Amino acid sequence: MSAQEPVIDVRDLKVTFATDAGDVAAVRGVSLHVDPGQVLAIVGESGSGKTVTARSILGLLPETALASGAVVLRRNDDAASSDVLSLSPSRLREVRGRDAAMVFQEPSTALNPVFPVGWQIAEGLRAHRRLTRAEAHREAVDVLRRVGIPDPEERAKHYPHQFSGGQKQRIVIAQALVLNPGLVIADEPTTALDVTVQAEILDLLRRLPEEFGTAIVLITHNMGVVADLADQVAVMYHGRIVEQADVRTLFSAPQHPYTRALLDAVPRVGGPRLRPARTAPVGETALTAAPSTGAPVVEARSLTITYPGRFRRPGFTAVDGVDLSIHAGEVLGLVGESGSGKTTIGRAIAGLTPVTGGELTVLGTQVRGIHERDFRAVRRRIGFVFQDPATSFNPLLTIAACVAEPLLVHGVAKDLDAARPRVDELLEAVQLPKAYGDRFPHELSGGQRQRASLARALALDPELLIADEPTSALDVSVQARVLDLFARLQEELGFACLFISHDLAVVDLLADRIAVLHHGKLVEQGTGAQVLGAPQDPYTQRLLASLPVPDPVEQAERREAWRALVTR
Amino acid sequence: MTADVSVPNDTPADPADIPVDALPSRGPLWKRLPVVRQLRTSVGLQRGMLVTGVVITAIFLVTAIFAPLIAPYGGSQLRSGSVAFGAQKAPSAAHLLGTTVGGYDVLSRVVWGTRTALLVMIAAVVLSIFLGIFLGLVSGYFGGWIDRVLVVVADAIYAFPSLLLAIVAAIVISKGQSSMWGGILAAAISITVVFVPQYFRVVRSEVVRVKAEAFVEAAKVIGTPPARIMVRHVLRNSVRTLPLIVTLNCSEAILTLAGLGFLGFGIEPSAAAEWGYDLNKALSDVTSGIWWTSVFPGVAIVLTVLGVTLVGESLNDLADPRLRTRRAAGRRGARAAVQSEVDVVEVDPLDAPPVADEDTSTGRTGSHDETTGGAR
């Protein structure tokens, strides 16, 4: 294989963007090549230049970009190779799709909603080859079958919204494969998908080199995905490749300090926990038994939340008869895929979404049907950390003003100046320099903002903290820092916490107990060791098996276990 | 650990998503004022348009403010000393632009007319902005039946031709009165009636958008009362497009005022100079070869509208990162840019990267600042 010419050969690629603040160098001299049938993973954090590198392979850079170097792409029939950067627009159009194709991150936006999927695949064919409509359609159906869409003759006539997220991503992959390109560039192909669906798509991508002879450039920040799929790994940092090695070497003996830090930061299920296991009082091991330590902070009994339907359709039940309780000082991890109702439960506890059935008691107050006025007293005892730190701060207020808001609203401090000592104290508690209080939110990085968000949530010393996916918008090393801080603050302040996440490994780091949600129903709950060590419910088992671990050897074994579980 | 580098999930599909800059260093206040800021960031044709617009508008403003010094005579002056100007005199040394059929000096009428136009513009925009923002805020934030009723009313007003509506309003408001302020207010209020729905709609749609943002929910979660949320969190984030609409509406106000004057619903000539009225009176002159009575007020209207519109359109283009043109990359060398960035970024000691040779913190937030900047 190595005797063959590489499919893509990138030599000293440099990309610079013109922005209002002057030029920004996104890629600073990257060289890499991919042999036929190989999978190269480019990993790195946001802003490391990995997407820009991949996009320049297809000449997909915006007008403001200036690229230099060479990107030599071989034709799919081995006839010739060409430098993508110097091609004319019409020649570039020929190359795209034929020699290299792209799989995008978000399958729901990569497909045009007003055309049938078969037509969309055939469109790519007809752009490159002279085919009749029927021939193109036949080939489209054929490629749909090969990517595992059941009943492709019928399904080719369907529109994108009639497919699930995973199937849509299969269609996008089919679209990329239909011209049989030598190279497929997959830009975070599974980031938008749930973990069980991700496992299926990874399985499909793994088959591509064997069945289609396609090389893959995989862009991802998920080390588990890398371990699962890649042959070669290139680690990018600030526009440069800092380390390049085959996958086993990289994971077993990382050379560069950045790679080591990156790997250390990845949370693993069953790995070392951030918090000591709670010394559970006697009798709490049995979950049904009420603990002796006072009333629970949150108690839900057959909690049901229904969103009203539109146009005489029945409403959508997001949460269906959930029983759970959070005791003082306890961290409950709530896990589930998108649409499982985990965020809805968090919002209901915070009084943002009305409860429609069952009972929900928060800090001794029945929430169902409560008036906003009566709930205000409860609100000052609840803290909330939002998912996206970029949008959860008013962009026109300084960090200090944002953190001081709870103090001002509840009359603890008269004005901003009076609140400032407490704000400084809080910023210090979340390890932000005091001077950051005078900055505006956009002047902080994502991790810093999320720490400020934590400071705001803790401003009134809440008894209950609700954290809704607090780290899912952050890079993995930043996530590790925020989680670390979180665990320490929880220990110091002793608040009860509902920690919502889709990431089993993250929840395992923090939670005393874990509750697993599936389609609005609570399928399993128990301590971390119980739920993740010996899952009882088939859904939990599948969830756990789908999770790729950042270790290529272990992941190969797990993959087999997953296959057995799925085909069972 | 490594540096926090916040970037949208790094797929720069359009230039708006491209890493912009690190910490935008805040310059002195005057450099961040709406028009000044755009002047500094614009290039090429867009800059030309903006500069032209700003110059014309500046001339208009200076003329309006210093009208008594610039104009040779008063706006409603018919004689100097005891000698009448005479009607329809061709341009001469005494009357640089000639005189009208009513015996007014054309140059003085044009100069004084800027004052009337400016006053109407200010009055109309101020009145409609306050009412429009208030209604839009309440309607968008609370929703429900208030919202539905207000939207229907706004739509109904849209359904009328705006000039017709302005005529009706002028008749209702001024009832034939024709003092200077009476006339100006009548014109301003009748324009307000047409403009309020525009501000209402823009503010309302922004409020509806901002209302769903996480920071408003964050305010709700800590128990902030609705009035405080509306003023502190929603309002200031909803008015960033207003400077553009204001400039565009200013030019529309001039046209409506001139239209009213031309149709005879404007300000009496003895109260204040008004271009529309002069144009109306110049109608019969055109056929008899007297060009100066119609050309100069007409040019004044066209230039003023052009100037204000150019400013508005340029601001509009410059506020949108997708329409804004930039200097080409690499002209000054990437190295220099990286260097200057290092000066700006203070590396957080806690987040210092292990191999921090240079730090290019990037983020969408930079471009966000771009768009909110106008509202500050």
Side-chain angles (χ1 to χ4, degrees):
Chain A
M1 195 125 76
S2 54
Q4 275 182 291
E5 262 184 78
V7 186
I8 178 80
D9 191 1
V10 178
R11 285 177 223 138
D12 196 29
L13 176 72
K14 291 192 176 104
V15 182
T16 308
F17 287 101
T19 69
D20 295 331
D23 296 351
V24 173
V27 179
R28 310 172 185 187
V30 162
S31 300
L32 48 84
H33 63 93
V34 184
D35 292 327
Q38 257 207 339
V39 180
L40 171 78
I42 305 180
V43 292
E45 307 197 328
S46 321
S48 61
K50 54 189 195 298
T51 293
V52 175
T53 306
R55 285 185 160 246
S56 48
I57 294 176
L58 278 176
L60 282 175
L61 295 174
E63 277 171 26
T64 49
L66 183 84
S68 67
V71 177
V72 181
L73 187 64
R74 210 188 49 178
R75 276 192 65 151
N76 61 345
D77 52 6
D78 298 347
S81 31
S82 46
D83 181 5
V84 174
L85 295 182
S86 59
L87 287 180
S88 68
S90 61
R91 295 267 293 115
L92 194 58
R93 209 158 48 234
E94 284 174 27
V95 167
R96 287 178 188 159
R98 186 194 63 192
D99 303 344
M102 186 125 180
V103 174
F104 292 93
Q105 175 175 356
E106 184 68 69
S108 46
T109 55
L111 292 170
N112 190 336
V114 297
F115 289 108
V117 295
W119 185 92
Q120 292 187 49
I121 295 173
E123 188 193 24
L125 276 170
R126 283 156 63 84
H128 286 273
R129 304 214 310 253
R130 285 186 169 278
L131 290 174
T132 65
R133 214 171 279 261
E135 282 167 347
H137 186 76
R138 234 185 345 266
E139 286 204 31
V141 169
D142 186 51
V143 75
L144 280 177
R145 181 180 297 114
R146 288 197 289 169
V147 296
I149 299 282
D151 192 14
E153 286 84 2
E154 190 52 37
R155 295 293 266 168
K157 292 179 213 151
H158 286 190
Y159 290 85
H161 71 268
Q162 292 167 299
F163 293 88
S164 69
Q167 281 177 321
K168 266 186 260 186
Q169 192 62 298
R170 281 174 195 271
I171 291 162
V172 172
I173 293 171
Q175 213 173 8
L177 288 175
V178 70
L179 283 159
N180 214 8
L183 178 70
V184 167
I185 298 158
D187 186 359
E188 307 260 7
T190 58
T191 307
L193 304 174
D194 283 324
V195 63
T196 49
V197 182
Q198 164 175 302
E200 290 166 21
I201 295 296
L202 288 178
D203 194 45
L204 170 65
L205 285 173
R206 200 176 313 104
R207 286 185 358 235
L208 293 189
E210 298 155 27
E211 292 181 16
F212 294 79
T214 313
I216 299 177
V217 171
L218 174 75
I219 298 153
T220 184
H221 63 271
N222 187 334
M223 295 310 274
V225 171
V226 174
D228 193 40
L229 206 56
D231 302 316
Q232 288 278 327
V233 185
V235 182
M236 276 193 85
Y237 182 66
H238 281 312
R240 293 202 181 86
I241 290 183
V242 294
E243 185 167 1
Q244 194 165 7
D246 73 272
V247 66
R248 287 185 188 225
T249 320
L250 188 100
F251 277 90
S252 57
Q255 297 299 314
H256 196 273
Y258 174 70
T259 316
R260 282 204 290 272
L262 194 65
L263 284 173
D264 284 345
V266 179
R268 294 159 201 240
V269 170
R273 283 168 50 82
L274 286 171
R275 299 174 57 236
R278 235 158 62 98
T279 45
V282 194
E284 205 185 319
T285 39
L287 291 158
T288 43
S292 47
T293 51
V297 179
V298 175
E299 179 136 51
R301 292 222 178 285
S302 59
L303 171 68
T304 304
I305 298 167
T306 307
Y307 289 110
R310 288 180 135 190
F311 307 116
R312 294 197 202 161
R313 293 235 202 92
F316 172 72
T317 304
V319 177
D320 191 2
V322 166
D323 295 302
L324 56 78
S325 60
I326 306 173
H327 301 283
E330 181 189 46
V331 178
L332 176 72
L334 196 56
V335 195
E337 303 193 328
S338 49
S340 63
K342 57 188 192 303
T343 295
T344 307
I345 291 181
R347 292 173 57 91
I349 295 173
L352 286 173
T353 303
V355 175
T356 48
E359 278 182 30
L360 178 65
T361 316
V362 179
L363 298 164
T365 310
Q366 171 64 253
V367 175
R368 185 177 170 190
I370 196 172
H371 256 278
E372 177 59 35
R373 219 174 314 123
D374 305 322
F375 197 61
R376 265 195 79 187
V378 181
R379 284 197 189 283
R380 69 176 290 178
R381 296 159 69 192
I382 303 177
F384 202 109
V385 180
F386 285 85
Q387 171 171 5
D388 188 354
T391 58
S392 62
F393 282 105
N394 186 338
L396 301 179
L397 297 181
T398 61
I399 291 294
C402 288
V403 175
E405 267 301 276
L407 302 168
L408 300 181
V409 165
H410 289 283
V412 176
K414 199 164 78 281
D415 54 23
L416 194 53
D417 289 333
R420 197 57 204 256
R422 172 72 178 142
V423 169
D424 289 344
E425 200 180 300
L426 284 162
L427 290 179
E428 218 155 277
V430 297
Q431 301 172 350
L432 282 176
K434 266 191 274 184
Y436 276 44
D438 296 320
R439 296 199 177 178
F440 284 95
H442 68 260
E443 295 172 328
L444 266 60
S445 67
Q448 290 166 347
R449 260 183 301 212
Q450 199 58 303
R451 280 185 269 152
S453 180
L454 198 54
R456 175 174 60 183
L458 296 175
L460 292 166
D461 270 327
E463 290 155 58
L464 171 67
L465 186 76
I466 300 162
D468 184 4
E469 304 248 18
T471 59
S472 64
L474 304 178
D475 280 321
V476 61
S477 57
V478 182
Q479 161 176 303
R481 284 183 49 77
V482 172
L483 291 176
D484 204 38
L485 176 74
F486 190 88
R488 242 204 4 253
L489 286 173
Q490 202 276 335
E491 205 162 318
E492 276 169 29
L493 304 173
F495 48 81
C497 176
L498 177 70
F499 194 94
I500 300 166
S501 179
H502 67 279
D503 191 335
L504 285 170
V506 168
V507 170
D508 187 39
L509 282 176
L510 287 174
D512 297 308
R513 283 191 302 126
I514 295 176
V516 184
L517 275 178
H518 184 45
H519 289 323
K521 289 200 171 68
L522 198 67
V523 294
E524 189 161 3
Q525 66 171 324
T527 64
Q530 284 169 350
V531 173
L532 302 178
Q536 300 303 311
D537 188 83
Y539 173 72
T540 318
Q541 289 170 359
R542 197 146 50 86
L543 200 62
L544 208 55
S546 306
L547 191 72
V549 295
D551 180 345
V553 184
E554 192 190 336
Q555 177 58 22
E557 293 166 17
R558 287 174 56 91
R559 197 187 300 148
E560 295 312 314
W562 173 78
R563 281 223 180 94
L565 197 69
V566 171
T567 50
R568 191 171 63 190
Chain B
M1 292 302 160
T2 44
D4 293 356
V5 185
S6 67
V7 147
N9 219 339
D10 70 18
T11 39
D14 61 34
D17 286 350
I18 287 166
V20 178
D21 57 348
L23 296 179
S25 54
R26 271 175 270 136
L29 179 70
W30 69 270
K31 284 188 180 173
R32 287 183 283 133
L33 290 175
V35 176
V36 180
R37 250 170 50 89
Q38 272 89 355
L39 261 178
R40 291 166 53 83
T41 54
S42 59
V43 287
L45 182 65
Q46 281 177 348
R47 182 174 207 150
M49 272 172 62
L50 182 58
V51 168
T52 315
V54 167
V55 166
I56 295 176
T57 312
I59 293 174
F60 168 73
L61 287 176
V62 167
T63 314
I65 293 166
F66 297 108
L69 302 178
I70 297 168
Y73 308 101
S76 50
Q77 200 174 344
L78 286 169
R79 59 197 81 234
S80 76
S82 55
V83 187
F85 292 157
Q88 297 174 325
K89 291 274 176 62
S92 65
H95 302 285
L96 287 175
L97 302 181
T99 59
T100 70
V101 66
Y104 298 110
D105 177 55
V106 174
L107 177 61
S108 306
R109 292 286 291 177
V110 170
V111 170
W112 282 97
T114 55
R115 202 165 241 213
T116 316
L118 181 66
L119 286 174
V120 170
M121 240 156 65
I122 292 172
V125 169
V126 166
L127 284 177
S128 43
I129 248 186
F130 278 104
L131 206 57
I133 287 180
F134 175 75
L135 291 178
L137 191 60
V138 170
S139 171
Y141 188 76
F142 289 111
W145 64 268
I146 302 182
D147 184 40
R148 250 169 277 157
V149 169
L150 284 173
V151 167
V152 166
V153 170
D155 284 351
I157 292 179
Y158 263 119
F160 289 98
S162 60
L163 195 59
L164 183 68
L165 208 63
I167 291 170
V168 173
I171 295 170
V172 171
I173 293 159
S174 68
K175 297 194 185 77
Q177 305 247 320
S178 56
S179 68
M180 174 178 156
W181 276 108
I184 286 175
L185 277 183
I189 290 171
S190 53
I191 294 166
T192 302
V193 174
V194 184
F195 283 178
V196 164
Q198 293 186 19
Y199 288 98
F200 166 78
R201 278 201 160 183
V202 171
V203 172
R204 179 185 166 276
S205 67
E206 279 286 294
V207 167
V208 168
R209 181 184 66 81
V210 170
K211 187 171 79 161
E213 294 261 347
F215 65 83
V216 175
E217 293 214 312
K220 272 188 206 161
V221 165
I222 58 177
T224 316
R228 190 184 167 92
I229 296 182
M230 269 161 69
V231 175
R232 195 168 167 80
H233 298 292
V234 178
L235 176 61
R236 287 182 62 198
N237 284 295
S238 311
V239 292
R240 61 181 192 193
T241 46
L242 284 191
L244 318 176
I245 309 172
V246 166
T247 50
L248 295 179
N249 273 356
C250 280
S251 58
E252 229 182 296
I254 297 171
L255 286 179
T256 313
L257 175 70
L260 282 176
F262 189 80
L263 294 172
F265 294 98
I267 300 158
E268 287 295 310
S270 54
E274 203 271 299
W275 298 329
Y277 174 87
D278 288 353
L279 275 182
N280 183 4
K281 292 297 165 207
L283 267 182
S284 52
D285 297 352
V286 177
T287 44
S288 46
I290 302 169
W291 51 271
W292 58 87
T293 51
S294 53
V295 165
F296 296 111
V299 166
I301 293 174
V302 169
L303 277 183
T304 312
V305 171
L306 181 72
V308 179
T309 310
L310 277 178
V311 173
E313 289 288 347
S314 317
L315 290 185
N316 195 19
D317 286 358
L318 290 170
D320 191 339
R322 282 164 301 183
L323 294 176
R324 182 171 61 222
T325 49
R326 293 185 178 84
R327 287 176 190 91
R331 201 169 285 172
R332 286 160 300 153
R335 191 67 216 166
V338 169
Q339 210 58 53
S340 68
E341 250 168 63
V342 176
D343 299 337
V344 182
V345 177
E346 294 164 38
V347 178
D348 178 5
L350 297 160
D351 289 333
V355 284
D357 44 355
E358 296 125 309
D359 193 342
T360 42
S361 306
T362 48
R364 164 180 285 155
T365 47
S367 63
H368 185 72
D369 173 55
E370 216 63 55
T371 41
T372 48
R376 283 215 191 118

